[in-house]
Amino acid sequence: MTTAGLPVERVRVAVVGGGPSGLTAAAALARRVDGEVRVIEREDAAGGIPRHSAHPGYGVRDLHRFVSGPAYARRLVAAAGDSGATVHTQAQVTGWDGDRRLVVTSPRGRHVVEADAVVLATGARERPRAARWIPGDRPEGVYTTGELQNLVHLHHAPAGRRAVVVGAELVSWSAVLTLREAGCRTVAMTCGRDRPEAHLAVTWAGRLALRPRLLTRTRVVRISGRDRVESVLVEDVDTGTRTLVPCDTVVLTGDWVPDHELARSGGVGLDRATLGPAVDSSLRTSATGVYAVGNLLHPVDTADGAALDGRHVAAGVLAHLAGVGAPPVTVELVAAAPFRWVTPQRLLLGIEPPRGHLLLWPEAYQRLPVVRAVQDGRVLARHRLSWPAAPGRVFRVPAGLVASANPHGGPVELGLERDAR
């Protein structure tokens, strides 16, 4: 589609996505940049997922507050505005028109935003039913968590009376709370693993207060219903035994995938494991002047963790705007089993990753894990950590683990030693 003749708006920094990471990046940059820092958000209002997640628990790490999702979103929007950033809602970036030139569609029409630096903060989404290959009928009443919370909190619509939640991670309990607020009882939660992915304290409190049946080592193999969901068929993955669970609502939680379409269409190099942009420790992508933050990189971390990415990226963007070249790459990082991925994928000399941590995604549980870094067959370091490595949530490892890596050596492989229990 041609862009000839479209009006061009010039900004210093364009931030694509008005969730926690994008708003925090804009707030961190706007006071220090000579020129406009513009947030481009496709929804009617900025704030991202917390905007329609009414329970408390947001803002602990970045704001040092314990507030609800909507309150957290309002604080971030206000902080971006107070810093001088502009937030354009109902504006969607639909493509690129060259390096750091974004094609934007909004009720005002199409135009091009040309920036000296671009921060991609497009987040992640839960895989819908079709992507999970769940067969059966196609009745009403099947949602992802985001769709459910949008329905309940923004449109104040009913969500049924009996629900089955697919998943048992942190966001799954967020869905259960939303269902309760809508007057819908969660009769069962299914989980393919042998233990829930959420932290033990969350699972324990949730089971005590909300009392859903927690069905581990199970999966939903059929959804039935004519107009509205009437039941789901749950299968034990070990024995094959099937149980019919009557319900009128199914919520598909977790199973995140980055919203990477814009990055991919712009030629930004993607990491094959995370499916998000591959970045260095300053959160710089392979495209000059294009950075990436938040759950676009590591689906899916908590909102405050994503926001701290936004704060971290400011230094790299400011250096780029000042014409300062990035330091050389110190070391490449790769994930070894049982980890699926690691981010960032490259460390720069003298620049630590956000929060001083490497983020990894485990596929197996270890209560007291020993993380090992190996380069060219040599063990660089071993760290025993006091928090578990658990599937379904981000696992943080201090970046000091690879401090002794040889910058002229091969990739550093990060893995776990056998469970020492």
Side-chain angles (χ1 to χ4, degrees):
M1 185 177 296
T2 180
T3 57
L6 293 181
V8 177
E9 299 177 357
R10 176 94 178 123
V11 303
R12 195 72 162 130
V13 181
V15 180
V16 185
S21 60
L23 290 170
T24 304
L29 287 164
R31 286 195 177 92
R32 304 169 66 184
V33 168
D34 182 15
E36 182 182 355
V37 175
R38 181 182 297 182
V39 179
I40 304 169
E41 167 58 43
R42 66 185 175 187
E43 298 284 346
D44 293 341
I49 291 175
R51 193 166 60 92
H52 46 74
S53 183
H55 59 78
Y58 289 87
V60 175
R61 294 188 183 121
D62 56 336
L63 303 182
H64 306 295
R65 298 285 189 275
F66 191 78
V67 297
S68 71
Y72 178 67
R74 288 193 295 272
R75 284 173 181 261
L76 296 186
V77 172
D82 292 345
S83 69
T86 57
V87 181
H88 285 196
T89 57
Q90 295 184 314
Q92 182 161 3
V93 178
T94 53
W96 301 80
D97 185 43
D99 295 342
R100 302 186 300 281
R101 286 170 60 92
L102 303 167
V103 182
V104 179
T105 301
S106 76
R108 296 183 298 140
R110 297 173 66 229
H111 61 279
V112 173
V113 173
E114 184 178 68
D116 293 317
V118 173
V119 179
L120 300 176
T122 49
R125 63 178 183 273
E126 293 165 305
R127 293 184 198 272
R129 177 184 174 180
R132 302 183 192 223
W133 298 81
I134 301 177
D137 302 325
R138 291 289 184 269
E140 295 289 332
V142 182
Y143 312 104
T144 63
T145 308
E147 291 168 342
L148 171 75
Q149 294 179 332
N150 191 296
L151 180 79
V152 172
H153 295 307
L154 298 187
H155 299 284
H156 308 292
R161 306 291 295 177
R162 292 171 54 89
V164 169
V165 171
V166 178
E169 57 183 86
L170 191 59
V171 71
S172 312
W173 289 103
S174 177
V176 173
L177 289 171
T178 301
L179 289 165
R180 186 181 68 165
E181 186 173 328
C184 182
R185 179 187 167 216
T186 301
V187 296
M189 301 177 74
T190 69
C191 170
R193 301 184 187 279
D194 57 4
R195 68 181 72 209
E197 293 95 340
H199 296 282
L200 180 61
V202 173
T203 302
W204 180 82
R207 297 184 72 173
L208 185 66
L210 304 169
R211 300 186 179 281
R213 288 175 63 199
L214 189 51
L215 307 173
T216 56
R217 300 292 294 165
T218 61
R219 60 179 180 173
V220 171
V221 294
R222 182 175 179 82
I223 296 175
S224 299
R226 187 169 183 178
D227 299 320
R228 180 84 190 187
V229 172
E230 297 173 4
S231 65
V232 296
L233 195 60
V234 178
E235 181 181 78
D236 186 303
V237 298
D238 296 317
T239 66
T241 303
R242 294 186 171 187
T243 304
L244 191 69
V245 181
C247 62
D248 58 13
T249 302
V250 178
V251 185
L252 308 171
T253 67
D255 197 0
W256 301 91
V257 59
D259 267 326
H260 62 194
E261 286 78 6
L262 182 64
R264 187 174 56 181
S265 66
V268 172
L270 301 183
D271 178 69
R272 297 177 64 179
T274 64
L275 302 181
V279 294
D280 60 31
S281 47
S282 72
L283 305 184
R284 182 184 58 164
T285 74
S286 62
T288 303
V290 179
Y291 295 75
V293 293
N295 285 327
L296 173 63
L297 300 177
H298 39 72
V300 63
D301 200 357
T302 56
D304 52 4
L308 291 173
D309 270 12
R311 193 176 294 173
H312 178 87
V313 80
V317 174
L318 291 170
H320 166 75
L321 295 176
V324 178
V329 171
T330 302
V331 64
E332 303 276 345
L333 302 176
V334 297
F339 295 124
R340 183 193 301 179
W341 53 252
V342 59
T343 185
Q345 293 81 17
R346 306 184 302 276
L347 295 182
L348 297 176
L349 185 64
I351 298 179
E352 282 207 330
R355 295 160 275 170
H357 281 139
L358 309 173
L359 305 185
L360 297 106
W361 190 264
E363 291 288 5
Y365 184 88
Q366 282 200 22
R367 186 170 60 88
L368 294 172
V370 177
V371 188
R372 185 171 65 176
V374 178
Q375 184 181 37
D376 299 328
R378 180 174 68 93
V379 177
L380 299 176
R382 301 167 62 253
H383 282 189
R384 181 184 297 278
L385 301 177
S386 58
W387 51 89
R393 57 182 192 251
V394 167
F395 179 61
R396 292 177 170 80
V397 174
L401 183 73
V402 296
S404 62
N406 178 1
H408 306 293
V412 173
E413 190 175 86
L414 299 166
L416 287 182
E417 295 191 349
R418 294 187 60 182
D419 197 338
R421 288 179 298 176

